[in-house]
């Protein structure tokens, strides 16, 4: 019996498709339907209104900056966690996942308390792109660290040592041996972090002040459209975000796979 | 270039791995660091290369102290047990790595890499990636990469351990002839005594972080300094409370004067025949016969034979006891 003829294969396939439909495909279809419910023209004008575009620009810029910063900081963190042995390493390793577990609203309130108008450090970054970016960085850090960490763990130290015996400086070793090895997963992790950042709401909403045309991110613009009863406008802006996220995810995955394929 | 180390001591997490060991490796010589796993031989090799810091002791290259010199400035070629290929680079780029670091001009680099690839017989695989190569090819790539910087010293960490028997034997003799051709001072780490005996000019036998004995392979084999060395380099057996190599003993007719023993087991291993003899509950003795000797004597289980040390006349191997038994 070929594995494909096995009824269990069909069952598994059926469950997977049904599950995906229920959770992802049907809501997507509803979103699409909503976005175009007043025709293509209405969709386009809702998605490309000045307020929408300003929010989108801010969202993409902050997300990109946060994802890139986390790519660097996350790699450094993963490197330390994998290569160094120090007291509290296990605890630090567990803490990395905290942003996943913590409700994002809690993170948002915490950031507002720490870096808001009543900041104990007299550091008020509310309503600025810096504040938004910091909140996004917090939420997306686990993606960057966890993507790179297993690859660093499996990378033998021998290849780096080999480069050193060939005369390479520590920086050159990192740049020419370590970095190329982790690049595919670094790309995937950064893509995930960026996509996640595009839709981030809870952690950003307090610190951003939500000033339209100025400090309003797309997700909170969507929220305000919904609360005004403009469902199709909200769906249009959401679709814009979704397409952007999808494009980034597909691109990073394809590039990462190509890089990985070449080296077997 | 001569390599010397003096009083090298290293512990990992409170466990003493190298216990103040010293040796000198002469220019152009191939030395084998031989020992069981955990004896500290790979650690010693990495300390010589500067890849692991030592707790105390000195390392010198050509009389110059390099103890605190980083690996990248030691000019030592190192081949790792797993070959440590740069997976994202082609074979050619792997070999060229060290030359690129040295800022060798592109045209010259290409010429030198081509020459190295010819040397290790991998010209036709130049554009392949490491995962497309076989174990033996990867090993030769690692060798070419290490040789590219024209190192003063070549260090090989278990270079043949991961290869199958036939490739291993081929590569071993090839590396040996290459080393002799280049005349490069080489230290090879291995746990395989046959490999060490075959290609090394000199053996250094390590056990539990200490050097048990150092010397020419044939000398160490015939005159092991300790029981550990004797048993590590080859099988030993005992006759009348004294230890011998099994091939140092012979079977004779029971009419000859001396002790007789009963044949317990005959194991035919192609060219060699292993005869195990004993008496009652006493210790057994292993006598190694050649195929021809066994054919002539035709020992069978239950038969009795005289066992004695081969006389010099009948064998070229030396007949003195390998060592006094500790029993």
């Amino acid at each position: 019996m070929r594995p494909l003829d096995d009824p269990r294969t069909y069952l598994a396939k059926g469950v997977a498709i049904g599950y995906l439909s229920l959770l992802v495909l049907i809501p997507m279809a509803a979103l699409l339907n909503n976005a175009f419910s007043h025709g293509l023209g209405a969709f386009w004008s809702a998605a490309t209104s000045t307020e929408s575009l300003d929010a989108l620009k801010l969202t993409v810029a902050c997300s990109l900056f946060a994802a890139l910063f986390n790519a660097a900081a996350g790699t450094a963190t993963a490197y330390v966690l994998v290569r160094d042995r120090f007291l509290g390493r296990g605890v630090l390793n567990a803490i990395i996942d905290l942003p996943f577990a913590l409700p994002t609203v809690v993170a948002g309130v915490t950031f507002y308390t720490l870096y808001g108008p009543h900041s104990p450090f007299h550091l008020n970054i509310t309503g600025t792109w810096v504040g938004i970016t910091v909140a996004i960085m917090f939420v997306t850090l686990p993606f960057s660290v966890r993507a790179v960490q297993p690859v660093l763990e499996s990378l033998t130290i021998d290849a780096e040592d080999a480069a050193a015996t060939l005369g390479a400086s520590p920086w050159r070793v990192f740049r020419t041996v370590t970095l190329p090895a982790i690049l595919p997963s670094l790309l995937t992790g950064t893509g995930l972090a960026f996509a996640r950042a595009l839709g981030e709401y809870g952690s950003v909403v307090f610190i951003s002040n939500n000033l339209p045309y100025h400090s309003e991110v797309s997700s909170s613009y969507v929220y305000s459209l919904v609360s005004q009863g403009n469902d199709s406008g909200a769906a249009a802006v959401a679709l814009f975000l979704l397409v952007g996220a999808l494009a980034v995810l597909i691109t990073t995955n394809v590039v990462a796979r190509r890089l990985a394929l070449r080296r077997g | 270039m001569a390599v010397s180390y003096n009083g090298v001591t290293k512990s990992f997490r409170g466990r003493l791995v190298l216990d103040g060991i010293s040796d000198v490796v002469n220019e152009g010589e191939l030395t084998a660091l031989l020992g069981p796993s955990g004896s500290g031989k790979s650690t010693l090799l990495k300390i010589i290369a500067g890849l692991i810091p030592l707790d105390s002791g000195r390392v010198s290259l050509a009389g110059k102290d390099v103890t605190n010199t980083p690996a990248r400035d030691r000019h030592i070629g190192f081949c790792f047990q797993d070959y440590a290929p740069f997976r994202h680079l082609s074979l050619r780029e792997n070999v060229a790595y060290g030359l690129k670091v040295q800022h060798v001009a592109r045209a010259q680099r290409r010429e030198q890499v081509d020459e190295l690839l010819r040397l290790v017989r991998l010209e036709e695989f130049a554009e392949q990636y490491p995962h497309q190569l076989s174990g033996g090819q990867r090993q030769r790539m690692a060798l070419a990469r290490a040789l590219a910087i024209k190192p003063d010293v070549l260090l090989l960490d278990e270079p043949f351990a991961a290869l199958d028997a036939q490739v291993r034997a081929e590569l071993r003799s090839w590396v040996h002839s290459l080393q002799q051709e280049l005349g490069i001072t080489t230290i090879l780490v291995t746990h395989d005594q046959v490999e060490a005996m075959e290609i090394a000019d000199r053996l250094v036998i390590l056990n539990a972080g200490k050097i048990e004995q150092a010397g020419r392979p044939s000398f160490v084999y015939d005159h092991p300094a300790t029981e550990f060395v004797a048993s590590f380099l080859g099988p030993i057996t005992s006759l009348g409370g004294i230890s011998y190599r099994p091939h140092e003993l012979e079977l004779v007719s029971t009419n000859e004067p001396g002790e007789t023993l009963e044949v317990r087991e005959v194991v035919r291993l192609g060219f060699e025949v292993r005869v195990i003899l004993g008496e009652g509950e006493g210790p057994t003795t292993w006598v190694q016969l050649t195929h021809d000797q066994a054919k002539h004597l035709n020992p069978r289980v239950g038969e009795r034979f005289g066992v004695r040390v081969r006389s010099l006349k009948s064998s070229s191997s030396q007949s003195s006891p390998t060592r006094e038994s500790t029993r």
Side-chain angles (χ1 to χ4, degrees):
Chain A
M1 188 189 268
R2 289 194 349 257
L4 268 175
D5 293 338
D6 193 328
R8 282 172 301 184
T9 312
Y10 288 118
L11 186 68
K13 227 184 229 171
V15 168
I17 290 172
Y19 187 70
L20 256 177
S21 306
L22 206 67
L23 284 179
V24 184
L25 297 178
I26 294 174
M28 290 290 165
L31 182 72
L32 263 172
N33 184 49
N34 238 339
F36 295 106
S37 59
H38 298 298
L40 199 64
F43 163 79
W44 192 250
S45 63
T48 59
S49 72
T50 317
E51 190 174 352
S52 167
L53 285 182
D54 279 353
L56 199 65
K57 273 185 226 157
L58 183 70
T59 307
V60 169
C62 290
S63 299
L64 195 65
F65 193 88
L68 292 179
F69 191 90
N70 270 349
T75 301
T77 308
Y79 198 87
V80 169
L81 282 175
V82 171
R83 289 290 160 79
D84 284 359
R85 294 287 170 269
F86 53 90
L87 201 70
R89 179 172 151 270
V91 178
L92 186 65
N93 193 28
I95 283 178
I96 300 292
D97 287 328
L98 208 61
F100 276 156
L102 200 69
T104 50
V105 176
V106 176
V109 171
T110 310
F111 277 118
Y112 190 78
T113 323
L114 286 177
Y115 308 118
H118 310 297
S119 164
F121 319 118
H122 306 289
L123 193 68
N124 186 357
I125 52 173
T126 50
T128 66
W129 69 271
V130 178
I132 297 167
T133 305
V134 167
I136 290 176
M137 277 184 337
F138 171 80
V139 175
T140 57
L141 179 68
F143 288 109
S144 310
V145 177
R146 294 300 186 217
V148 172
Q149 199 175 2
V151 188
L152 272 177
E153 251 154 21
S154 69
L155 178 74
T156 62
I157 213 159
D158 285 353
E160 293 169 315
D161 277 351
T165 62
L166 295 171
S169 65
W171 168 240
R172 191 179 186 121
V173 172
F174 179 78
R175 192 167 50 81
T176 59
V177 178
T178 317
L179 194 60
I182 61 173
L183 197 60
S185 47
L186 185 62
L187 259 172
T188 311
T190 307
L192 268 177
F194 180 74
R196 172 77 177 77
L198 285 180
E200 180 52 24
Y201 178 74
S203 63
V204 174
V205 72
F206 297 101
I207 209 158
S208 73
N209 279 347
N210 288 320
L211 214 62
Y213 308 106
H214 182 63
S215 67
E216 187 182 45
V217 294
S218 292
S219 59
S220 103
Y221 177 54
V222 170
Y223 185 82
S224 73
L225 287 176
V226 171
S227 56
Q228 291 158 24
N230 184 356
D231 279 8
S232 66
V237 177
L239 192 64
F240 237 58
L241 275 181
L242 200 72
V243 169
L246 207 61
V248 167
L249 285 177
I250 290 172
T251 311
T252 50
N253 269 322
V254 166
V255 175
R257 188 171 299 188
R258 250 186 223 165
L259 279 175
L261 261 185
R262 204 178 63 175
R263 59 191 71 167
Chain B
M1 185 180 282
V3 179
S4 69
Y5 46 92
N6 207 323
V8 170
T9 301
K10 178 73 187 176
S11 310
F12 284 120
R13 297 181 195 183
R15 198 174 71 85
L16 194 60
V17 177
L18 292 172
D19 189 5
I21 66 171
S22 308
D23 190 38
V24 178
V25 178
N26 292 321
E27 163 110 48
E29 232 175 36
L30 196 166
T31 294
L33 288 178
L34 180 63
S37 56
S39 58
K41 53 196 194 305
S42 284
T43 305
L44 176 59
L45 203 67
K46 286 187 174 167
I47 284 175
I48 295 170
L51 295 171
I52 297 179
L54 36 66
D55 297 340
S56 64
R58 319 296 305 168
V59 177
S60 305
L61 297 177
K64 190 168 154 275
D65 190 315
V66 295
T67 311
N68 297 315
T69 308
R72 67 173 187 274
D73 297 326
R74 289 197 190 187
H75 215 61
I76 288 179
F78 199 109
C79 285
F80 291 82
Q81 192 173 354
D82 64 354
Y83 321 131
F86 303 140
R87 294 168 174 282
H88 61 292
L89 299 179
S90 69
L91 171 52
R92 168 182 296 285
E93 292 165 324
N94 263 275
V95 175
Y97 189 93
L99 299 174
K100 231 171 153 179
V101 172
Q102 289 176 353
H103 303 294
V104 174
R106 184 185 291 263
Q108 204 184 339
R109 202 161 71 210
R110 194 170 178 89
E111 201 176 298
Q112 289 182 25
V113 170
D114 281 341
E115 198 186 309
L116 281 158
L117 290 178
R118 255 197 307 281
L119 186 71
V120 299
R121 298 178 305 200
L122 286 174
E123 310 97 300
E124 71 229 76
F125 301 100
E127 309 309 326
Q128 307 264 36
Y129 284 84
H131 73 275
Q132 297 168 307
L133 302 174
S134 71
Q137 291 168 337
R138 258 181 264 180
Q139 171 62 63
R140 282 183 276 147
M141 180 207 80
L143 203 62
R145 187 177 67 180
L147 290 173
I149 59 168
K150 297 195 171 68
D152 302 318
V153 177
L154 188 61
L155 304 180
L156 310 170
D157 190 3
E158 296 272 9
F160 315 116
L163 304 171
D164 58 58
Q166 199 189 339
V167 179
R168 189 187 314 167
E170 274 173 32
L171 211 53
R172 190 197 292 161
S173 63
W174 177 77
V175 166
H176 189 205
S177 56
L178 186 70
Q179 188 269 336
Q180 289 189 322
E181 194 185 311
L182 300 174
I184 183 170
T185 311
T186 303
I187 305 177
L188 173 143
V189 156
T190 180
H191 63 270
D192 181 343
Q193 77 281 3
V194 177
E195 183 172 297
M197 302 274 296
E198 185 184 314
I199 70 173
D201 299 315
R202 195 159 158 278
L203 293 186
V204 173
I205 293 156
L206 278 175
N207 183 34
K210 283 196 160 125
I211 293 180
E212 294 265 339
Q213 192 176 2
R216 284 192 24 245
S218 58
F219 183 86
V220 176
Y221 185 81
D222 288 338
H223 306 281
T226 65
E227 187 168 357
F228 173 82
V229 174
S231 61
F232 195 73
L233 285 186
I236 49 173
T237 188
S238 76
L239 179 67
I242 298 174
S243 293
Y244 298 95
R245 299 267 181 228
H247 68 82
E248 291 173 335
L249 301 176
E250 66 176 345
L251 298 182
V252 292
S253 149
T254 47
N255 299 331
E256 303 263 340
E259 204 180 346
T260 68
L261 294 169
E262 187 187 311
V263 176
R264 294 275 170 78
E265 199 185 346
V266 179
V267 184
R268 292 169 196 280
L269 305 159
F271 174 69
E272 292 174 335
V273 177
R274 184 185 295 175
V275 184
I276 312 291
L277 305 101
E279 184 73 75
E281 295 297 305
T284 58
T285 300
W286 166 3
V287 178
Q288 189 87 0
L289 301 177
T290 65
H291 185 264
D292 286 352
Q293 288 164 343
K295 206 167 173 182
H296 176 65
L297 291 163
N298 197 19
R300 287 170 193 282
V301 174
E303 280 184 319
R304 295 192 73 84
F305 280 94
V307 181
R308 68 178 187 195
V309 177
R310 249 176 237 287
S311 65
L312 279 168
K313 263 182 287 176
S314 65
S315 164
S316 59
S317 74
Q318 54 110 230
S319 59
S320 62
T322 298
R323 65 184 178 87
E324 290 299 315
S325 171
T326 48
R327 267 186 301 145

